[in-house]
Amino acid sequence: MNSMITPEDLQKFSEAFDRNPANAIAMDAAVQNGVNASAVNYTAARKYLHTFSVEIDAGKVCNQKQSGRCWMFAALNVMRLEVMKKLNLDNMELSQSYPLFYDKLEKSNYFLENILDTLDEPTDGRVISFLLASPLGDGGQWDMFSSLIAKYGVVPKDVMPESFSSSCTREMARYMTRKLREYACTLRTMHADGASMDALRAAKDEMMETIYRMLCISLGKPPVKFDWETRAKDGSFIRMKDCTPQEFFAKYVGWNLDEYVTVINAPTADKPYGRTYTVQYLGNVRDGKYPVKYLNLPIEDLKALAIAQLKDGQVVWFGSDVGQFSTRDTGFLTLDALHVQQLYGTTFPMDKAQRLDYGESLMTHAMVLTGVNLDENGKPNRWKVENSWGSDVGKDGFFVMSDEWFSEFVYQVLLNRKYFTPEQAAQFDTAPIVLNPWDPMGSLAD
């Protein structure tokens, strides 16, 4: 073939298409209904049952609506189970708007501090272009959430309920992003004009006051102390007075956040297993207690650790590429959920490492493992997944994930480090290798 597409090439392509009558049927279906709807494998419902040999009651499914807060929803869905257990509640939600407020505030400060750290980088260089691309995205990773909770605690949803802008962050984020890019320009211009660092920091303080005001107007002021009342399963009335968010977390969630760590599966040549990694410029809380850090392990180790935690009665936060070979309405995360290869008459043979290296896949969404089905040999074949897209998708909001899909598209798992082997524990405690800001393992779940 020549470097350009010729009329002869077009004729050849058309004749090859017409030689297979199945192409016309596939075209009719996809043009009318869309690719995924035309490729749905209806037998998946028979193969991937919503029954699991290990299963934990996770409460009612939540809905992040038109926001990228899956990492918060998934983390709070794990933590609320501790509150429900301690207070003997049928169900409850922790406020997702409360950490959103402080995440946006902290991300704004983190961004401006990164700008101050890179004042001499060229504006059109890769670093500044990266920082300016998305200074205030909704997404995040576990360690970012952990740093937020360590600093600000949690509150029940009744105390800081959802608002228009928490459920649909687009407008708020657009104006705040516009302001932060303006501030980056201001700080860099001041530096170029010879301003001292003291002058730059004074300017930054005023900028953060504006950011705080914008957040209060969009989301409401977060509580410093609160009263809360609810009723337990046995009908007893529960009343809390003058409680701080930090006190509520310490008493009713009760986690030692030092014990909760993440492991990843990144089978690329540049990331040997058994080593820890962090990502430059990835975070939200400046000098937060929990900088991003994870241990890279083979995928079977991630599964074994997740199973150990589930068997112990604890659900598991995890990050994956949810858009790959999945069906939203029926809730299947399986390699055969969609017959796209048959529809198009081609294959998609890249392996996990190749997909990471070539930008085809990365972590995009966080959910919660609430169960696993083990076969007669104790091997997993399907997993129960709590999503945060409401109860109208999947089975009452829960999805089924095949073990093969787990292998290919799960990238990160949160666990209590007590499930580590001694070797894994020693590996996690090593100093992390710093990855470039644009490394795929720096992606944010949203």
Side-chain angles (χ1 to χ4, degrees):
M1 180 176 171
N2 297 318
S3 60
M4 61 178 291
I5 299 174
T6 66
E8 291 77 18
D9 290 327
L10 292 174
Q11 180 65 25
K12 182 176 68 174
F13 298 157
S14 178
E15 290 173 355
F17 181 89
D18 292 340
R19 276 197 294 271
N20 186 349
N23 288 338
I25 297 173
M27 178 176 64
D28 289 344
V31 168
Q32 181 68 29
N33 304 297
V35 173
N36 283 356
S38 302
V40 168
N41 176 9
Y42 82 95
T43 64
R46 305 177 190 177
K47 183 177 178 182
Y48 302 105
L49 303 176
H50 280 267
T51 54
F52 306 87
S53 60
V54 179
E55 191 170 3
I56 299 168
D57 184 3
K60 295 180 181 178
V61 166
C62 304
N63 194 341
Q64 69 186 80
K65 298 186 178 177
Q66 297 177 50
S67 71
R69 295 174 292 162
C70 66
W71 58 297
M72 292 182 177
F73 271 76
L76 293 169
N77 285 343
V78 175
M79 290 181 174
R80 69 172 174 160
L81 298 183
E82 300 294 337
V83 183
M84 291 163 60
K85 187 188 308 178
K86 288 180 173 67
L87 294 177
N88 191 30
L89 303 176
D90 273 322
N91 191 64
M92 70 91 63
E93 285 186 51
L94 293 168
S95 171
Q96 303 94 0
S97 183
Y98 178 79
L100 175 68
F101 182 100
Y102 287 114
D103 180 58
K104 295 297 189 190
L105 185 68
E106 291 284 357
K107 277 179 178 168
S108 298
N109 182 68
Y110 195 86
F111 168 76
L112 294 176
E113 285 296 320
N114 284 337
I115 292 298
L116 292 177
D117 289 343
T118 57
L119 290 170
D120 293 321
E121 290 281 342
T123 304
D124 61 352
R126 190 168 188 182
V127 170
I128 298 302
S129 296
F130 172 83
L131 293 176
L132 293 174
S134 183
L136 201 69
D138 282 357
Q141 294 195 8
W142 164 257
D143 288 318
M144 295 164 65
F145 186 80
S146 192
S147 288
L148 281 177
I149 299 309
K151 188 170 182 178
Y152 297 106
V154 296
V155 301
K157 188 169 185 174
D158 300 333
V159 173
M160 189 168 178
E162 289 290 280
S163 64
F164 179 92
S165 290
S166 66
S167 296
C168 183
T169 57
R170 187 179 300 110
E171 291 179 356
M172 173 186 70
R174 182 172 69 244
Y175 290 114
M176 292 183 68
T177 298
R178 179 180 295 176
K179 206 67 187 168
L180 288 172
R181 287 174 177 151
E182 169 200 322
Y183 288 161
C185 175
T186 298
L187 291 173
R188 288 173 62 83
T189 300
M190 289 175 63
H191 172 69
D193 291 341
S196 68
M197 184 55 70
D198 286 343
L200 293 173
R201 290 207 169 276
K204 195 203 94 170
D205 288 345
E206 293 183 7
M207 295 169 180
M208 287 302 301
E209 184 177 328
T210 298
I211 293 296
Y212 182 87
R213 181 172 67 249
M214 295 174 76
L215 282 168
C216 288
I217 291 170
S218 300
L219 301 172
K221 287 188 71 173
V224 177
K225 285 191 173 184
F226 63 90
D227 301 336
W228 188 55
E229 299 171 345
T230 189
R231 197 173 290 277
K233 291 180 185 178
D234 61 8
S236 60
F237 190 71
I238 300 169
R239 176 182 288 123
M240 300 175 193
K241 299 285 288 183
D242 292 328
C243 187
T244 70
Q246 295 85 349
E247 290 168 346
F248 187 87
F249 173 79
K251 186 172 183 179
Y252 297 108
V253 177
W255 278 15
N256 177 0
L257 291 169
D258 293 349
E259 298 175 352
Y260 287 85
V261 298
T262 54
V263 293
I264 60 171
N265 176 243
T268 50
D270 64 329
K271 298 182 185 69
Y273 289 141
R275 301 294 301 272
T276 58
Y277 300 89
T278 189
V279 182
Q280 189 179 23
Y281 302 127
L282 178 61
N284 54 356
V285 180
R286 182 76 171 193
D287 298 324
K289 188 175 181 181
Y290 299 102
V292 170
K293 179 183 180 182
Y294 19 66
L295 173 63
N296 192 21
L297 294 174
I299 194 66
E300 296 306 319
D301 288 5
L302 269 67
K303 294 177 185 179
L305 290 164
I307 290 170
Q309 188 158 302
L310 287 169
K311 282 184 172 180
D312 212 16
Q314 302 294 319
V315 297
V316 179
W317 182 104
F318 76 102
S320 67
D321 190 357
V322 73
Q324 299 274 3
F325 299 101
S326 63
T327 59
R328 183 186 180 98
D329 291 341
T330 52
F332 291 110
L333 303 167
T334 69
L335 299 185
D336 58 354
L338 300 170
H339 285 157
V340 180
Q341 297 182 120
Q342 293 88 333
L343 182 73
Y344 278 132
T346 189
T347 60
F348 301 98
M350 294 174 75
D351 63 26
K352 193 172 189 177
Q354 291 168 333
R355 288 192 294 269
L356 283 170
D357 282 338
Y358 285 85
E360 166 50 26
S361 183
L362 40 67
M363 184 178 71
T364 61
H365 189 59
M367 298 178 284
V368 180
L369 297 173
T370 64
V372 61
N373 193 65
L374 304 177
D375 65 18
E376 59 275 13
N377 298 313
K379 300 295 184 182
N381 52 32
R382 62 182 179 274
W383 303 74
K384 185 176 182 180
V385 175
E386 178 187 14
N387 206 342
S388 54
W389 292 345
S391 59
D392 295 334
V393 298
K395 184 176 182 181
D396 299 322
F398 288 87
F399 284 36
V400 177
M401 176 173 63
S402 73
D403 192 61
E404 295 80 10
W405 197 95
F406 189 123
S407 295
E408 296 298 326
F409 298 114
V410 169
Y411 291 105
Q412 191 172 35
V413 169
L414 168 72
L415 58 120
N416 190 308
R417 59 178 298 149
K418 69 181 180 181
Y419 301 109
F420 274 153
T421 66
E423 181 183 15
Q424 291 167 344
Q427 290 170 342
F428 187 85
D429 289 334
T430 59
I433 297 168
V434 180
L435 303 175
N436 287 323
W438 40 84
D439 190 275
M441 299 318 295
S443 64
L444 302 180
D446 61 9

